[in-house]
């Protein structure tokens, strides 16, 4: 009978340890679930920010290309004006001869 009491005490002790371990694991699981949700939210925010930055880069590239084209066109106009002025000077020199 004493052996039965000792065995019951050991079972009860093991059961309490298992219940304690179960509670700890449930708490850890809750923390991990919350951490996962936090990370998912952070990921969504970062993905949105990434998409916005890519869009901004695309717009800046387009603006830069347009500005370069504008500069090229302005340079062409300046060269045309200079060539015209040189032609006028050559014409005047030829007229004087």
């Amino acid at each position: 009978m004493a052996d039965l009491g000792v065995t019951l005490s050991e079972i009860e002790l093991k059961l309490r340890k298992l219940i304690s371990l179960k509670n700890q694991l449930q708490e850890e699981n809750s923390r991990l679930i919350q951490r996962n949700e936090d990370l998912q939210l952070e990921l969504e925010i970062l993905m949105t920010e990434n998409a916005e930055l890519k869009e901004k880069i695309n717009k800046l590239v387009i603006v830069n290309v347009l500005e370069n084209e504008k500069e090229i066109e302005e340079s062409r106009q300046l060269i045309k004006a200079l060539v015209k002025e040189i032609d006028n000077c050559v014409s005047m020199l030829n007229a004087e001869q």
Side-chain angles (χ1 to χ4, degrees), residues 2-60:
D3 289 337
L4 184 60
V6 171
T7 305
L8 285 175
S9 294
E10 289 175 357
I11 291 174
E12 185 180 349
L13 180 62
K14 288 180 182 180
L15 185 59
R16 288 177 196 240
K17 285 182 182 179
L18 285 174
I19 290 172
S20 175
L21 181 60
K22 176 194 149 267
N23 290 337
Q24 289 174 356
L25 290 173
Q26 282 179 329
E27 289 174 10
E28 182 179 1
N29 191 35
S30 295
R31 283 193 309 271
L32 291 174
I33 289 171
Q34 183 60 45
R35 176 75 173 141
N36 188 24
E37 289 173 0
D38 292 345
L39 290 173
Q40 288 292 334
L41 180 61
E42 184 178 351
L43 177 63
E44 288 177 23
I45 291 169
L46 290 174
M47 288 177 73
T48 301
E49 186 177 324
N50 186 30
E52 290 172 358
L53 290 173
K54 282 182 180 180
E55 182 66 27
K56 204 176 216 181
I57 287 172
N58 289 337
K59 287 179 182 178
L60 288 173

Side-chain angles (χ1 to χ4, degrees), residues 35-87:
R35 176 75 173 141
N36 188 24
E37 289 173 0
D38 292 345
L39 290 173
Q40 288 292 334
L41 180 61
E42 184 178 351
L43 177 63
E44 288 177 23
I45 291 169
L46 290 174
M47 288 177 73
T48 301
E49 186 177 324
N50 186 30
E52 290 172 358
L53 290 173
K54 282 182 180 180
E55 182 66 27
K56 204 176 216 181
I57 287 172
N58 289 337
K59 287 179 182 178
L60 288 173
V61 166
I62 291 170
V63 167
N64 193 24
V65 167
L66 292 177
E67 285 179 0
N68 286 341
E69 288 180 11
K70 183 178 178 182
E71 289 175 10
I72 290 171
E73 186 58 33
E74 288 174 357
S75 298
R76 285 183 181 156
Q77 293 297 327
L78 178 60
I79 290 171
K80 284 181 184 179
L82 291 173
V83 168
K84 186 175 181 180
E85 188 176 331
I86 291 171
D87 286 342

